[in-house]
């Protein structure tokens, strides 16, 4: 049970910023402040636009991989360029997951 109160003074800007960050993480302001005070990892929720972009990037990566596989036997330079592009997209996708 949480029964104790701690009052903290901050500016209007700081309060709005904390509220916005808590909302992005999908938790209350109190939970957000406690989590940051105890160095817990706070993960923001993905917006529908970000989710749609992620799905599109996954589809592009898959398509480039297929194209690279298709051209491997015919044009090694083209296949290499397409594979490099697919790897770059995969790297961005991994960074997006974090």
């Amino acid at each position: 049970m949480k029964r104790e109160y701690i009052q903290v003074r901050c500016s209007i800007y700081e309060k709005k910023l904390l509220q916005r960050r808590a909302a992005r993480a999908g938790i209350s302001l109190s939970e957000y402040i406690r989590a940051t005070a105890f160095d817990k990892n706070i993960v923001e929720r993905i917006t529908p636009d970000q989710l749609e972009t992620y799905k599109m990037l996954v589809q592009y990566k898959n398509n480039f991989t297929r194209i690279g596989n298709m051209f491997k036997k015919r044009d090694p330079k083209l296949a290499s360029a397409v594979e490099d592009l697919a790897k770059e997209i995969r790297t961005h996708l991994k960074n997006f997951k974090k």
Side-chain angles (χ1 to χ4, degrees):
M1 286 303 277
K2 295 176 178 88
R3 294 185 181 170
E4 297 295 319
Y5 291 94
I6 298 175
Q7 293 182 349
V8 178
R9 292 192 177 274
C10 63
S11 69
I12 292 172
Y13 171 76
E14 291 170 330
K15 182 179 179 183
K16 294 237 183 244
L17 182 62
L18 288 169
Q19 288 172 330
R20 191 172 298 141
R21 287 182 179 177
R24 276 192 264 153
I27 57 177
S28 71
L29 180 58
S30 295
E31 288 177 89
Y32 180 81
I33 291 172
R34 279 193 303 273
T36 56
F38 294 117
D39 291 329
K40 292 185 179 176
N41 187 17
I42 300 171
V43 179
E44 291 184 12
R45 299 196 180 221
I46 296 175
T47 65
D49 290 339
Q50 290 173 327
L51 183 60
E52 198 62 38
T53 303
Y54 179 78
K55 288 179 181 179
M56 182 181 63
L57 284 173
V58 168
Q59 186 178 7
Y60 285 169
K61 190 238 0 145
N62 291 337
N63 289 340
F64 281 120
T65 301
R66 288 181 186 131
I67 291 168
N69 290 338
M70 187 173 72
F71 287 114
K72 264 185 185 173
K73 294 180 182 175
R74 295 188 182 142
D75 188 357
K77 289 182 183 178
L78 177 62
S80 176
V82 171
E83 284 177 14
D84 291 342
L85 186 56
K87 286 178 186 176
E88 185 177 339
I89 290 173
R90 188 178 306 119
T91 301
H92 288 293
L93 288 173
K94 286 180 182 177
N95 289 337
F96 185 77
K97 288 180 183 178
K98 294 179 183 178

